[in-house]
Amino acid sequence: MFLLFEEAGKFMAGRVLSEAETSAQVELDSGKRVKVKAANFLLKFEKPTPAQFVLEAQALSQTIELEMAWEFAPEEEFGFADLARDYFSLHASLSEQAGMLVRLFEAPHYFRRAGKGRFRKAPADIIALALAAIEKKKLIAQQTEQWVAELSQGSCPQPIRDQLYKILFKPDKNAPEYKAVVEASRATHLGPLELLIKAGAIDSPYQFHWKRFLLENFPRGVGFARIDAPLIKDELPLSPARAFSVDDSATTEIDDALSVQGLGTGTVRLGIHIAAPGLAFQPGSAIDQLGRNRLSTVYMPGYKITMLPDEVVQNYTLMEGRDCPAVSLYVTLDEATLEIKSTETQLERVHIGANLRHDQLDAIVTTEWLEDPGFMHEMDPQPLQHKREQLSFLYRLANDLKAKREVVRGKPENFNRPDYNFKLVGNDGAEPQGTEQVQISTRQRGAPLDLIVSEAMILANSTWGSWMAELGVPGIYRSQASMLPGVKVRMGTRSLPHAGLGVKSYAWSSSPLRRYVDLVNQWQIIACARHGKTAALAAPFKPKDAELFSIISGFDAAYFAYNSFQGAMERFWTLKYVQQQGIVEIEATLFKDNLVRADHLPLVLPVMGAQGLPRGARVRVKLGDIDEVSLDVHGTVIERLDLPLETEAEIEADEEDDLTVAGPIAIAVDMSEPAADSLENGSNPAQAAADNPAP
């Protein structure tokens, strides 16, 4: 005797070896023996063989018209054998009964399972929806197959082109466009990105990087809704100081300015003046929400995405010729020894006498010009009139502050490599297209104007950080436990030393128009200035405030993403510069295993032929092909240059610096997933449609 039974949703048949009241021992055609529970018995038969019986049942099932079977079926629950007798004849054969079982089982949109071998017919309206879903799924499958064919032949269908960045980086894995890319990749044995490049889906490498960044970080675009900037209502006193800022010519968010009073009296009052948007709006306001959503301005060659709308920024920026609201730190110093006597914070208006631009003045404001009163240029530019004495004092102070920090730091800061400036010719601040002519210029790190501003800001950020801690007012701090390899700078709400800077406390506060954490700290500093020892009760953010931790988490993620994108765009334009200038060889320094840094370009790349060369060796490298999508370029060492080497200490100091090296683009297309249902795996589309009928 043979038995047809159900096991784990599948029909099986085999020879009954023994049978008890609740189960049977069955041998399958494969020779495997299984124990079958009586509840899973469906049919017993004497002939034909189990394999032949199943084949006959499957063949008969395809002759059954589902609409007619549905009409014959009773409204109440029924068994498959009962419906077979109603459909075929009163004496329906066992094969016909088995055929009805198979047909009912594979048509869940008409018949729903109610138990082993038992069913209930579906309502007519559900059937209509399911049939529509099946037809839709069939059409989608046909469309997907057509897209696969087009992609495989090197052509990109428009719907896939339109969804390109979503497919690669934030895909809906049930979407037909995504499935088509996966299946075409399998069919052509090409990676998804390589497939799409060959199919012409990526019109512009620059747009590829730009739109990918927008999708991941600004999915709603970079524009702002119209919003009015509130006025500062406080009656702020006007400072007697006359301040000036130092930025590059492209800077519109002028956060900081400096003033010097009392030169020649023996006691100097240094003013560090920070733009004060925190006096105009509070946490939770509409403008605050804009800043909280973006967290920082995004910089890239030739363009930027500001944290706040420009019309808002222009209300609080430290614009030349205006009396601007400011949070000012005044530092009283001994003019001769530069010893700090006292500090105080004022909420005030300060007159901005000039917006100096270092890219226009670096050649004038040199170390010799600052340190030697007798040194004269042919003519000093108008903005520098009457500022030489102030700048000379500030430069002397900056060097003193830096030297004192380096004592704590344990070693001098490394300024052995230049900063690189990128200019896109004719861009004028508009969104780049990626085809512009690019110019790259160098600017030595630690240039006098840079040093003056950076040391003043470190002084302000460390002073205010310590002051908030003394008053018990929480802030957002940056700290570094030590300068040992691998010890990173971290952000937190506790005032801790920053070993890399050599200060006991450091809270970013000097760029509230460009960084959200600076704005948060400004609100806390304003509370300190207004309320003194009771500031902790009045400050917007209280100790252990969960909001602060949330801001830190969000800012860390955004700042990393923005900096990574800036690095990638600088690499893009560097590679574009190499192409535009026809550069085929570069001089470089080996600083890590098979990695070199170009001596005169902001470019790090892997090389072949460096085996056996020591770190610090200078080499000539022949460049290979450039891939603007992956930002990849390789080189081959063709000559060892017999020039002085960097010291080991300098190499180690550089190892974690600006290592923007191209690697595989991280895409979200998962080639390890099962093949698409409609194309390969033979799953039941009717079952899927019944489970998810069309709306």
Side-chain angles (χ1 to χ4, degrees), residues 169 183 338 346 391 464 589 599 610 656:
F169 303 113
E183 295 307 321
L338 301 179
Q346 297 285 342
L391 288 170
W464 277 330
T589 301
D599 291 346
E656 295 185 4

Side-chain angles (χ1 to χ4, degrees), residues 613-614 617-620 637-642 645:
L613 295 179
R618 294 194 62 252
V619 293
R620 189 182 307 280
V637 174
I638 57 175
E639 183 183 358
R640 170 81 181 271
L641 299 177
D642 204 9
L645 306 182

Side-chain angles (χ1 to χ4, degrees), residues 146-217:
Q146 180 181 336
W147 288 341
V148 169
E150 291 180 36
L151 285 169
S152 300
Q153 293 166 10
S155 174
C156 183
Q158 190 61 43
I160 291 177
R161 188 186 300 274
D162 294 341
Q163 297 290 318
L164 175 66
Y165 301 97
K166 284 189 65 178
I167 291 169
L168 289 174
F169 303 113
K170 288 191 175 181
D172 172 4
K173 295 187 177 181
N174 291 316
E177 294 86 355
Y178 173 85
K179 291 181 178 180
V181 170
V182 171
E183 295 307 321
S185 293
R186 288 175 173 149
T188 59
H189 304 290
L190 296 173
L193 185 55
E194 183 182 1
L195 169 80
L196 290 166
I197 291 173
K198 288 191 173 184
I202 298 172
D203 298 321
S204 159
Y206 183 87
Q207 288 298 310
F208 172 81
H209 297 294
W210 173 238
K211 290 182 179 179
R212 173 192 178 188
F213 174 74
L214 293 182
L215 176 69
E216 294 177 345
N217 297 279

Side-chain angles (χ1 to χ4, degrees), residues 542-590:
K542 304 297 187 282
K544 299 182 180 180
D545 193 325
E547 278 295 288
L548 285 179
F549 295 102
S550 175
I551 291 167
I552 290 170
S553 175
F555 181 84
D556 268 341
Y559 207 60
F560 176 80
Y562 297 171
N563 283 339
S564 297
F565 178 67
Q566 179 180 353
M569 287 298 90
E570 289 180 356
R571 185 174 179 86
F572 173 87
W573 286 111
T574 300
L575 295 176
K576 182 67 75 174
Y577 177 84
V578 168
Q579 292 175 324
Q580 291 173 352
Q581 299 299 317
I583 297 172
V584 295
E585 294 179 3
I586 60 170
E587 294 181 1
T589 301
L590 184 68

Side-chain angles (χ1 to χ4, degrees), residues 292-349:
R292 177 87 183 256
N293 287 337
R294 297 207 172 179
L295 294 165
S296 173
T297 291
V298 184
Y299 296 96
M300 67 204 82
Y303 199 56
K304 65 181 177 181
I305 304 170
T306 58
M307 182 178 78
L308 297 171
D310 187 63
E311 59 268 27
V312 171
V313 169
Q314 295 312 311
N315 276 271
Y316 314 120
T317 190
L318 302 182
M319 183 66 68
E320 178 178 304
R322 295 198 319 209
D323 296 336
C324 298
V327 179
S328 298
L329 175 68
Y330 286 102
V331 183
T332 302
L333 306 112
D334 184 291
E335 187 172 3
T337 66
L338 301 179
E339 179 186 357
I340 295 176
K341 300 294 187 181
S342 64
T343 61
E344 64 174 325
T345 299
Q346 297 285 342
L347 308 179
E348 60 184 9
R349 289 177 298 131

Side-chain angles (χ1 to χ4, degrees), residues 386-460:
H386 313 300
K387 292 185 176 61
R388 183 170 184 174
E389 186 180 10
Q390 296 179 47
L391 288 170
S392 294
F393 173 80
L394 289 171
Y395 185 61
R396 183 164 69 95
L397 174 62
N399 278 299
D400 182 73
L401 292 171
K402 179 174 179 288
K404 290 174 179 175
R405 289 192 303 102
E406 288 178 340
V407 170
V408 179
R409 193 174 184 268
K411 61 180 179 180
E413 291 179 319
N414 186 6
F415 290 152
N416 66 313
R417 288 188 291 109
D419 287 323
Y420 291 93
N421 297 323
F422 294 79
K423 181 180 179 181
L424 307 186
V425 178
N427 173 255
D428 296 327
E431 181 182 319
Q433 298 303 304
T435 56
E436 292 84 351
Q437 188 77 19
V438 59
Q439 297 175 350
I440 300 178
S441 58
T442 60
R443 183 165 184 263
Q444 188 59 42
R445 295 183 183 186
L449 285 174
D450 271 354
L451 186 66
I452 288 170
V453 174
S454 64
E455 288 300 327
M457 296 311 116
I458 292 172
L459 177 60

